[in-house]
Amino acid sequence: MSDVERETLLPASPDEVWESLADPDRLSEWFGTDVDGKVEAGDALTFTEPDGTQRRAVVEFAEPGRRLVFRYLPFERTPDGRSRRRESSRVAIHIEPYGEQTVIRITETRVGSAGTPRPQIGFHARARI
């Protein structure tokens, strides 16, 4: 089984790409949700969907200009305040210079209950740099 992976070339420097990932307001553009929290290792992020559903994630790595890795927790909160079980997944965003541009590779891997990575389906990212 393989991970879901997307790679694209962006007309920006690695530092510019990192700035768009490290700012929760701009990170929101990548995921199409509101994002609250600090993009720093050990901190939590809250992703709020347009319908009000919230999902939290823990930042595992935040290396400026190189990579951002976070792990979605295995539950979400519905707009009516109930908790609902979800599978945990890890999102890894790698940033590599390519001339005056940047290659960005985003991989999402589902993590099973025993910590076994399994592929996540339906991941997408979008943003303006």
Side-chain angles (χ1 to χ4, degrees):
M1 296 179 125
S2 63
D3 301 336
V4 173
E5 185 172 297
R6 304 283 190 268
E7 184 174 290
T8 191
L9 184 63
L10 300 173
S13 72
D15 289 338
E16 290 171 310
V17 172
W18 177 258
E19 287 173 17
S20 74
L21 294 172
D23 176 356
D25 290 333
R26 294 180 68 195
L27 184 61
S28 295
E29 295 175 15
W30 286 90
F31 290 91
T33 65
D34 289 331
V35 179
D36 292 315
K38 289 184 180 178
V39 181
E40 295 178 12
D43 283 335
L45 298 171
T46 300
F47 293 79
T48 304
E49 298 287 337
D51 72 356
T53 301
Q54 291 185 328
R55 186 120 190 242
R56 292 182 52 91
V58 175
V59 178
E60 295 180 341
F61 299 97
E63 297 179 54
R66 297 199 53 203
R67 72 178 174 155
L68 171 63
V69 179
F70 61 87
R71 181 179 30 86
Y72 282 115
L73 299 179
F75 58 88
E76 66 185 8
R77 184 163 310 280
T78 62
D80 63 4
R82 294 180 303 151
S83 288
R84 181 168 48 201
R85 188 117 174 103
R86 295 278 309 261
E87 289 196 64
S88 182
S89 64
R90 178 170 287 113
V91 176
I93 304 171
H94 294 270
I95 302 165
E96 298 175 25
Y98 185 79
E100 294 183 14
Q101 300 178 72
T102 300
V103 173
I104 186 167
R105 187 174 63 256
I106 303 169
T107 305
E108 184 168 8
T109 305
R110 207 179 289 177
V111 179
S113 59
T116 305
R118 297 188 325 208
Q120 175 73 344
I121 299 169
F123 177 74
H124 70 279
R126 58 185 171 198
R128 292 177 318 202
I129 301 294

